């Protein structure tokens, strides 16, 4: 979807297919290899506005009712909230199951765009884009994704899927968030160049189950937002496990700078973005682990 191309298409050059079932969507995709799936179209719209070449073939997923459910799901005796890929960001914020079992995810969704965009944009589009602001939170929640590829249904951890070689022919079906009934601590912060309705300089998230006898249990940290590849900070997590609740801020700060790969653009340097991420993570950990 990021293809820059001098070819600018007028709306009449574009053919839109509107499959009614997943099977039909797959048939269109295999018939028109260059076809692009569109859900809410809010991210693709940003590309169109910049005259980026998307495709002459649009496959609208809008009518696929099968991808609109939010429900409980049992797998290997573990409970998940299963969110259909076509669920809008607004529905993710207001659904009783996400509110009850996935409050951190709801917080992240509330930080995506403005209400009008959230009414149309879907969680599937946010995840499938690989740059959405929901991804750091979904990583620390150990979410799974289910998708159709080469005629097969595959469910795998979001972290593994993000690491895979990117094959654009996939159709994302749902996102599965484990329900954790024990008490956990967490945080999510999105930093933008303005207070609201702005794209992220960086989005960070963290989650752990407890800090007992000086030991931190099940620590997970992730960064993303803007054009970053969302990633877990596995090395920093390991160091925190060794260091325990009385960790050295300086050490964690410098390890975040080492592990997190960022980028520069016309507004900000990669070093600045890394420092923002490191500052937020260290201050949240200090606030909750040391004083908590
Ligand atoms: C003004 C504005 C502000 C925004 N602010 C933010 C923000 O703060 N944070 C943020 O994260 N995003 C932001 N966005 C981007 C966008 O709104 C969200 O990422 C949204 O969740 C995308 O969902 P969509 O359904 O509109 O995706 P689409 O635009 O329809 O698709 C996005 C990508 O995902 C693919 N895709 C969609 N659904 C599927 C599927 N089921 N299977 C396979 N591929 C699929 C499409 O082919 C495309 O490549 C903003 C957009 C606008 C216009």
């Amino acid at each position: 979807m990021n293809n820059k191309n001098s070819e600018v298409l007028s709306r009449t050059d574009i053919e839109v297919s509107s499959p009614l079932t997943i099977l039909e969507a797959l048939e269109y995709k295999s018939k028109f290899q260059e076809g692009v799936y569109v859900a809410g179209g809010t991210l693709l719209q940003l590309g169109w506005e910049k005259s980026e070449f998307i495709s002459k073939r649009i496959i609208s997923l809008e009518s696929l009712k099968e991808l609109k459910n939010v429900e409980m799901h049992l797998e290997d005796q573990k409970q998940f909230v299963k969110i259909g890929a076509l669920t809008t960001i607004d529905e993710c914020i207001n659904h009783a199951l996400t509110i009850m079992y996935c409050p951190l995810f709801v917080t992240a969704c509330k930080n995506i765009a403005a209400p009008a965009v959230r009414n149309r944009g879907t969680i599937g589009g946010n995840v499938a884009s690989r740059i959405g602001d929901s991804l750091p939170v979904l990583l620390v929640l150990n979410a799974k994704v289910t998708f159709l590829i080469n005629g097969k249904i595959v469910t795998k951890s979001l972290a593994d899927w993000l690491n895979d070689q990117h094959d654009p022919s996939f159709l994302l079906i749902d996102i599965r968030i484990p329900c954790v009934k024990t008490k956990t601590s967490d945080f999510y912060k999105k930093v933008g160049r303005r207070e609201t309705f702005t794209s992220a300089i960086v989005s960070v998230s963290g989650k752990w189950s407890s800090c007992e006898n000086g030991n931190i249990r099940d620590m997970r940290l992730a960064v993303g937002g803007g054009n970053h590849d969302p990633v877990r900070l596995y090395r920093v997590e390991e160091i925190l496990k060794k260091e325990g609740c009385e960790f050295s801020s300086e050490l964690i700060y410098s390890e975040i700078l080492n592990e997190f790969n960022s980028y520069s653009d016309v507004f900000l340097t990669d070093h600045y973005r890394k420092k923002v991420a490191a500052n937020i993570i260290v201050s949240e950990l200090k606030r909750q682990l040391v004083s908590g």
Side-chain angles (χ1 to χ4, degrees), residues 37 39-44 61 113 117 121-122 125-126 128 132-133 170 172 190:
Y37 291 129
T42 60
L43 185 59
L44 288 172
L61 302 176
V117 176
T122 65
N126 203 265
D133 278 327
F170 73 96
L172 187 65
K190 171 179 167 178

Side-chain angles (χ1 to χ4, degrees), residues 22 26 29 37 130 146-156 161 164-173:
I22 291 179
L26 295 180
K29 183 72 177 162
Y37 291 129
R130 292 171 170 252
T146 301
F147 54 94
L148 262 160
I149 192 145
N150 302 326
K152 282 197 205 128
I153 286 208
V154 180
T155 299
K156 56 163 64 182
W161 179 72
D164 283 351
Q165 198 79 28
H166 182 40
D167 177 342
S169 63
F170 73 96
L171 175 65
L172 187 65
I173 304 290

Side-chain angles (χ1 to χ4, degrees), residues 220-231:
R220 292 184 215 130
L221 295 170
V223 286
N227 283 326
H228 292 107
D229 291 331
V231 283

Side-chain angles (χ1 to χ4, degrees), residues 1 36-46 61 67 85-86 89 111-114 117 120-126 128-129 131-134 170-173 190 198-200:
M1 84 125 253
V36 166
Y37 291 129
V38 178
T42 60
L43 185 59
L44 288 172
Q45 170 200 334
L46 294 174
L61 302 176
L67 304 189
L86 281 188
I89 301 292
N111 279 277
I112 294 173
V117 176
R120 179 132 198 99
T122 65
I123 189 62
N126 203 265
S129 70
I131 52 166
D133 278 327
S134 67
F170 73 96
L171 175 65
L172 187 65
I173 304 290
K190 171 179 167 178
T198 183
S199 65

Side-chain angles (χ1 to χ4, degrees), residues 13-82:
D13 293 325
I14 297 175
E15 262 187 55
V16 181
S17 322
S18 298
L20 296 175
T21 61
I22 291 179
L23 200 62
E24 261 180 52
L26 295 180
E27 278 167 10
Y28 280 119
K29 183 72 177 162
S30 68
K31 197 163 151 201
F32 311 116
Q33 299 281 317
E34 79 285 12
V36 166
Y37 291 129
V38 178
T42 60
L43 185 59
L44 288 172
Q45 170 200 334
L46 294 174
W48 275 311
E49 283 166 5
K50 286 189 255 164
S51 299
E52 277 172 11
F53 176 71
I54 310 289
S55 172
K56 289 183 185 176
R57 299 265 178 196
I58 298 293
I59 305 168
S60 166
L61 302 176
E62 203 166 22
S63 305
L64 301 186
K65 290 200 185 81
E66 301 138 282
L67 304 189
K68 289 185 181 170
N69 275 351
V70 180
E71 60 192 22
M72 295 305 286
H73 172 76
L74 194 64
E75 193 179 314
D76 298 334
Q77 300 188 332
K78 288 186 190 134
Q79 284 210 305
F80 292 79
V81 176
K82 187 165 94 178

